Amino acid sequence: MALHLKIITPMRTAVDADVSSVLVPSVQGEMEVLPGHADIIVALDNGELIYRPVEGAQQSVFVGGGFLQVSSDLMMLVTDTVLEADEIDTNSVEEAIARAQESFRNQSSVLSREEQTHLAAGIARQLAMLEYRRKKHL
């Protein structure tokens, strides 16, 4: 028995495979989905999603949050970011983090609460990307 995992972004279908298990970074912590899992909708956090294709070795991708729906044996994950470790440029991410942190320090008094929250979420995503890249290339 297998699950069908489909990960989509606004630009592409990133993963479309039959899998035996999926470990996702939900906002409430890591969650494993196996065949026969109860139907559920879960909000995802930034982080590593690990899946085991029915045929082949375990694989992983970085997901930038989103939502996961499990219905019968179909898992549909909708996110705006799906990256493999090799697609993450460490230098660019570190520069983006530095710019965002500098902007946050210099403009926090003139930024609205919503703008501050958005900027902090961007920094958190970049840090999670960097952590994933470093973990995969140790």
Side-chain angles (χ1 to χ4, degrees):
M1 187 177 206
L3 290 163
H4 189 79
L5 172 63
K6 194 168 205 171
I7 303 176
I8 60 172
T9 72
M11 303 301 287
R12 66 186 174 113
T13 298
V15 176
D16 191 358
D18 289 328
V19 300
S20 59
S21 67
V22 180
L23 187 65
V24 297
S26 84
V27 295
Q28 297 173 335
E30 286 186 334
M31 179 180 116
E32 185 171 24
V33 180
L34 300 168
H37 196 285
D39 292 356
I40 190 170
I41 296 177
V42 177
L44 299 180
D45 204 353
N46 301 313
E48 181 178 20
L49 178 140
I50 301 169
Y51 63 98
R52 184 172 300 281
V54 171
E55 307 255 340
Q58 176 176 294
Q59 298 182 31
S60 75
V61 292
F62 174 85
V63 292
F67 291 92
L68 170 71
Q69 179 179 10
V70 178
S71 180
S72 297
D73 284 324
L74 173 63
M75 294 181 61
M76 177 74 72
L77 190 150
V78 179
T79 182
D80 64 352
T81 306
V82 177
L83 297 169
E84 294 191 21
D86 293 338
E87 296 177 293
I88 300 171
D89 179 359
T90 305
N91 292 331
S92 295
V93 173
E94 288 173 343
E95 289 171 9
I97 291 169
R99 282 192 310 272
Q101 288 173 332
E102 183 65 25
S103 178
F104 195 76
R105 278 192 297 273
N106 292 337
Q107 298 179 21
S108 63
S109 63
V110 296
L111 295 175
S112 70
R113 185 173 302 265
E114 181 180 346
E115 290 168 324
Q116 289 177 16
T117 301
H118 183 70
L119 192 53
I123 292 170
R125 177 180 286 201
Q126 296 293 324
L127 288 170
M129 252 190 245
L130 202 53
E131 180 181 330
Y132 172 70
R133 167 79 173 154
R134 287 183 175 148
K135 177 182 173 185
K136 291 298 170 186
H137 287 89
L138 288 179

